[in-house]
Amino acid sequence: MAKKVKIKSKKPQGIGSKIFDIVNYLLLAILGFIMFYPMFYVFIVSISSSQYINQGLVTLFPRGINFDAYKAVFENQRIWSGYKNTFLYTGLGTLICLVLTALCAYPLSRKDFYGRKAFTVLIMITMFVNGGMIPTYLVINKLHMINTMWAIVLPPAISTYNMIVMRTSFQAIPDSLVESAYLDGANDITIFSKIVLPLSKPIIATMTLYYAVYHWNSYFPSMLYLNDQKKYPVQVVMRDIVIQGDTSEITGSVNIIATNYKYAVIIISIVPILLVYPLLQKYFTKGVMVGAVKG
């Protein structure tokens, strides 16, 4: 038997290549530090003592470490109520977005769908033209959705951009699979649920992350459409504390001041969505690439 010859490609070892690599690593390290440091600074201030914060001594490391600010945050009932509402809006909103986006993207990905190009153009127009804030408010008011969770989860039910990416991903599925399923007697619903969706886990995971981040960070619709503070998401509560300076809940420890209390609220509000990414990381890159191969 003929032996396989392994050919190893050698990287150029010139001085110019080494300098190029060093400069690249240096620039990436600086960029990573610039992106990471603000969040790290917020965290170290949130666990530092008030005397060091007031003196401006907290820069790279926490000073006088204590968790009194987090204790005060967790004792705030508005935070817990906001968390409950945010999880509800994010979970339900993401589910609605995924279902409607997939149901819209699948027929537009099929070459035998009559009027596919016309519907695609009409849908894409919505990326550039919309009614605006006041007409949207009037529509939601007319539908009696003011001060309900439906005003938060239904208006952003489909992102046109995400739908196009998912449609492109569906188009990458070989037509032979669909044709074989048709020959076996499967209908469109069966093909969609048993073939298309199982083969589209990467793009579904990517869209889940996109929609979940959007709903988790969304606060302006809540300010427009919700009148009851008990229905506010945690982002609106955080806005009241950080921007409007509502720190009346601070009680007890002398180590707590408005600054580290506000920063503790910020950390508490962003940690859950940060924990979602590692769960979807193995699908994320593949999903983005698959959805971007075709136009």
Side-chain angles (χ1 to χ4, degrees):
M1 295 178 62
K3 294 184 179 180
K4 294 182 179 180
V5 179
K6 295 182 179 180
I7 301 176
K8 296 182 179 180
S9 58
K10 293 184 178 181
K11 186 178 180 180
Q13 298 296 323
I15 186 66
S17 177
K18 293 182 180 180
I19 294 176
F20 179 77
D21 289 342
I22 293 173
V23 171
N24 269 342
Y25 289 135
L26 183 61
L27 290 177
L28 289 174
I30 294 174
L31 181 61
F33 177 78
I34 292 174
M35 298 176 66
F36 173 75
Y37 179 72
M39 187 165 56
F40 177 71
Y41 177 76
V42 170
F43 173 70
I44 63 175
V45 170
S46 69
I47 62 174
S48 296
S49 177
S50 58
Q51 58 178 337
Y52 297 106
I53 298 173
N54 291 330
Q55 296 175 14
L57 299 178
V58 180
T59 53
L60 293 177
F61 302 99
R63 304 286 297 273
I65 297 177
N66 67 82
F67 295 91
D68 294 339
Y70 287 93
K71 182 179 178 181
V73 169
F74 286 122
E75 290 175 352
N76 186 351
Q77 294 302 317
R78 290 179 61 199
I79 297 291
W80 288 110
S81 176
Y83 255 124
K84 181 188 70 174
N85 295 329
T86 298
F87 278 112
L88 175 62
Y89 300 153
T90 301
L92 182 60
T94 302
L95 178 62
I96 292 174
C97 289
L98 286 175
V99 171
L100 296 183
T101 301
L103 291 176
C104 182
Y106 175 64
L108 294 178
S109 68
R110 295 290 300 275
K111 296 179 181 179
D112 56 348
F113 177 58
Y114 181 77
R116 177 170 67 110
K117 293 183 179 180
F119 283 114
T120 301
V121 171
L122 290 175
I123 293 173
M124 289 184 65
I125 291 175
T126 62
M127 295 179 65
F128 311 102
V129 180
N130 62 74
M133 182 172 64
I134 295 177
T136 303
Y137 182 89
L138 294 176
V139 171
I140 292 176
N141 185 44
K142 194 70 175 179
L143 295 174
H144 305 289
M145 293 194 302
I146 294 297
N147 203 33
T148 67
M149 67 176 180
W150 304 113
I152 308 301
V153 300
L154 289 183
I158 294 181
S159 166
T160 304
Y161 175 81
N162 291 343
M163 188 278 297
I164 293 174
V165 173
M166 185 172 284
R167 180 210 63 174
T168 306
S169 177
F170 289 165
Q171 287 177 338
I173 297 175
D175 295 334
S176 58
L177 290 177
V178 178
E179 294 172 357
S180 299
Y182 271 130
L183 292 175
D184 291 337
N187 56 26
D188 288 316
I189 297 178
T190 303
I191 294 172
F192 176 66
S193 59
K194 301 294 185 180
I195 297 177
V196 175
L197 291 183
L199 293 176
S200 303
K201 290 181 181 179
I203 194 64
I204 292 174
T206 303
M207 294 298 107
T208 300
L209 183 62
Y210 282 172
Y211 282 125
V213 170
Y214 168 80
H215 281 287
W216 185 272
N217 292 331
S218 177
Y219 73 95
F220 192 64
S222 302
M223 296 173 60
L224 287 178
Y225 307 130
L226 298 181
N227 303 323
D228 187 358
Q229 292 189 2
K230 294 181 180 180
K231 297 180 179 179
Y232 282 169
V234 71
Q235 289 76 18
V236 177
V237 177
M238 182 180 69
R239 176 187 176 276
D240 293 340
I241 294 174
V242 175
I243 298 180
Q244 297 184 355
D246 184 4
T247 55
S248 57
E249 297 87 355
I250 300 179
T251 57
S253 176
V254 296
N255 289 325
I256 305 176
I257 60 174
T259 301
N260 55 349
Y261 182 77
K262 291 178 181 179
Y263 285 7
V265 171
I266 294 174
I267 293 296
I268 289 297
S269 66
I270 65 176
V271 165
I273 199 64
L274 289 178
L275 298 179
V276 174
Y277 179 77
L279 301 177
L280 303 176
Q281 184 180 10
K282 63 178 180 179
Y283 299 109
F284 184 74
T285 303
K286 184 178 179 181
V288 173
M289 294 300 295
V290 169
V293 170
K294 293 184 179 180

